[in-house]
Amino acid sequence: METLELTQEEQFQARIDEDIRIEPKDWMPEAYRKTLIRQISQHAHSELVGMLPEGNWITRAPSLKRKSILLAKVQDEAGHGLYLYSAAETLGASRDQMLADLHSGKAKYSSIFNYPTLSWADMGTIGWLVDGAAILNQVPLCRTSYGPYARAMVRVCKEESFHQRQGFEIMQTLCEGATEQKAMAQEALNRWWWPTLMMFGPADADSPNTEQSMKWRIKRFTNDELRQKFVDMMVPQAEFLGLTVPDDKLQWNEAKQGYDFGDVDWAEFWDVVKGNGPCSRERLQARVDAWDQGAWVREAALAHAEKRKQRAA
Ligand code: BYC
């Protein structure tokens, strides 16, 4: 039995090493399944909770055009959550259980969505920076080793890149506008820069999951590698906008052909991850309320399905 397990595990790793996708009915180590359910469900929860900070500005958008774009973007996030829950279900996870874990506070979701959205410039900054970080993280996930997750990511990334452009365009409009508008853009960048760097997760030395996830090709880059790419990509964009990245230690390093940057406040990061972010309780409560208030829709859909079944019978 032990030899068989070992052989299966070796065969599994060999498939991964050859970049052959793992599909739902293939044999997989239990730890691989668990890691994927953990990451995919956290990712799905992030999409759902991620609707809330932006939802705050749908009624306050400065024009009809901005309002309809924002509405569409927030709807896209709901769609991303649904593809991701479906991908996790192919691994045997139950959607009700995943949602129950979110609602009880047991499951994690991205730290970034526990910060408040205080001005219209936050909609630009979220699109530009947060979706920019999301794309950097998610484009490699289109090549992740688990088939359903990789395929879901292809569509998610197409939509995310549109989101990122609309965010940048809001920033550009503000930066080319009145002095007050530009100041608003700078103030939003000051608040979001560091929390965005935290999205990539703890430093590699403190990341318990990275090594194994890289071996299984669930992750294609480490947290620090992606964070570095992000800084290198964003600094020139901030310069183009005429904005200042709020980091005294930011400096071009010719030898590494990348920027050196200051230390992330990891105490703040872990505090937010543990549920003590500025909006953590509010975000969770909003999800619980949405679930409770939507009960009648779920019940009606089930009753309708039952009626149709009886009619067909
Ligand atoms: N926030 O060993 P590590 C979006 C947790 S959606 C909270 O490095 P891993 C968007 C981590 O889960 C953004 N928790 O973990 C949506 C682990 O805890 P557990 C979401 C974090 O998994 C709407 C522990 O810390 N994107 O962009 O190897 C609108 C140790 O970390 C965070 C995804 O979910 C965090 N920032 O690497 C706009 C992408 N970072 O589970 C935008 C898919 C780490 O052991 N996920 N933790 O208890 C990933 O790529 C990886 O899961 C991560 C973390 C890079 C996030």
Side-chain angles (χ1 to χ4, degrees):
M1 191 65 199
E2 206 173 292
T3 331
L4 184 71
E5 283 286 290
L6 206 69
T7 312
Q8 272 181 322
E9 197 127 6
E10 280 170 357
Q11 281 175 357
F12 174 83
Q13 189 61 50
R15 282 188 67 177
I16 301 259
D17 294 342
E18 282 177 49
D19 269 336
I20 300 172
R21 288 262 165 84
I22 306 301
E23 296 297 338
K25 288 188 176 151
D26 294 337
W27 182 88
M28 61 185 82
E30 209 34 46
Y32 176 82
R33 183 189 302 276
K34 274 198 180 148
T35 299
L36 277 169
I37 292 177
R38 176 183 65 79
Q39 178 167 325
I40 300 172
S41 61
Q42 284 175 4
H43 194 165
H45 299 329
S46 303
E47 300 285 352
L48 287 205
V49 181
M51 296 163 72
L52 299 170
E54 292 179 299
N56 185 36
W57 281 89
I58 291 173
T59 52
R60 300 176 172 88
S63 69
L64 183 60
K65 183 182 127 191
R66 293 295 187 197
K67 186 182 179 116
S68 50
I69 294 171
L70 187 59
L71 204 62
K73 178 182 191 286
V74 172
Q75 282 178 348
D76 284 353
E77 310 300 358
H80 299 172
L82 297 183
Y83 317 148
L84 286 161
Y85 285 122
S86 299
E89 281 176 319
T90 66
L91 291 154
S94 115
R95 191 177 297 216
D96 282 348
Q97 188 57 51
M98 289 185 274
L99 287 167
D101 288 347
L102 171 66
H103 299 153
S104 70
K106 187 176 158 206
K108 291 192 173 74
Y109 60 85
S110 185
S111 49
I112 193 74
F113 303 117
N114 293 307
Y115 290 85
T117 43
L118 304 178
S119 79
W120 171 251
D122 288 15
M123 297 304 97
T125 315
I126 289 182
W128 173 42
L129 291 187
V130 175
D131 292 317
I135 292 169
L136 266 183
N137 168 275
Q138 290 171 9
V139 167
L141 288 175
C142 298
R143 294 187 295 117
T144 197
S145 55
Y146 186 58
Y149 191 21
R151 288 189 287 273
M153 277 301 116
V154 173
R155 179 151 171 197
V156 170
C157 285
K158 282 185 187 156
E159 293 177 354
E160 288 297 358
S161 58
F162 170 71
H163 296 173
Q164 210 253 349
R165 276 154 197 254
Q166 71 85 37
F168 186 81
E169 199 261 336
I170 292 177
M171 293 308 270
Q172 198 171 2
T173 305
L174 292 174
C175 290
E176 287 168 358
T179 315
E180 290 85 350
Q181 286 175 300
K182 186 154 183 195
M184 196 196 273
Q186 180 64 56
E187 193 273 334
L189 172 60
N190 293 349
R191 277 183 292 109
W192 288 95
W193 177 255
W194 292 102
T196 307
L197 292 191
M198 294 174 195
M199 284 178 72
F200 297 97
D204 294 350
D206 301 316
S207 162
N209 300 302
T210 293
E211 191 183 341
Q212 185 60 62
S213 288
M214 294 284 286
K215 198 166 162 226
W216 279 331
R217 300 196 181 174
I218 293 174
K219 285 167 91 162
R220 296 277 180 165
F221 295 97
T222 72
N223 301 354
D224 284 334
E225 283 168 352
L226 288 176
R227 196 168 7 251
Q228 180 70 54
K229 274 178 196 274
F230 177 78
V231 173
D232 293 344
M233 185 172 99
M234 287 302 168
V235 172
Q237 294 185 13
E239 278 168 6
F240 177 84
L241 291 170
L243 296 174
T244 308
V245 172
D247 179 355
D248 296 343
K249 295 195 178 137
L250 192 70
Q251 200 174 9
W252 177 253
N253 181 329
E254 189 59 32
K256 81 170 181 190
Q257 287 292 300
Y259 285 90
D260 290 332
F261 53 97
D263 297 324
V264 171
D265 182 348
W266 293 116
E268 177 182 323
F269 169 74
W270 289 115
D271 207 33
V272 176
V273 171
K274 283 187 196 130
N276 301 317
C279 298
S280 300
R281 283 167 196 81
E282 187 186 326
R283 299 286 185 245
L284 210 56
Q285 193 57 50
R287 288 314 316 162
V288 171
D289 290 348
W291 177 257
D292 291 345
Q293 286 159 17
W296 70 272
V297 179
R298 295 190 296 278
E299 281 159 19
L302 285 173
H304 180 62
E306 185 56 34
K307 265 191 203 161
R308 283 183 63 164
K309 206 166 87 188
Q310 280 175 7
R311 227 178 282 142

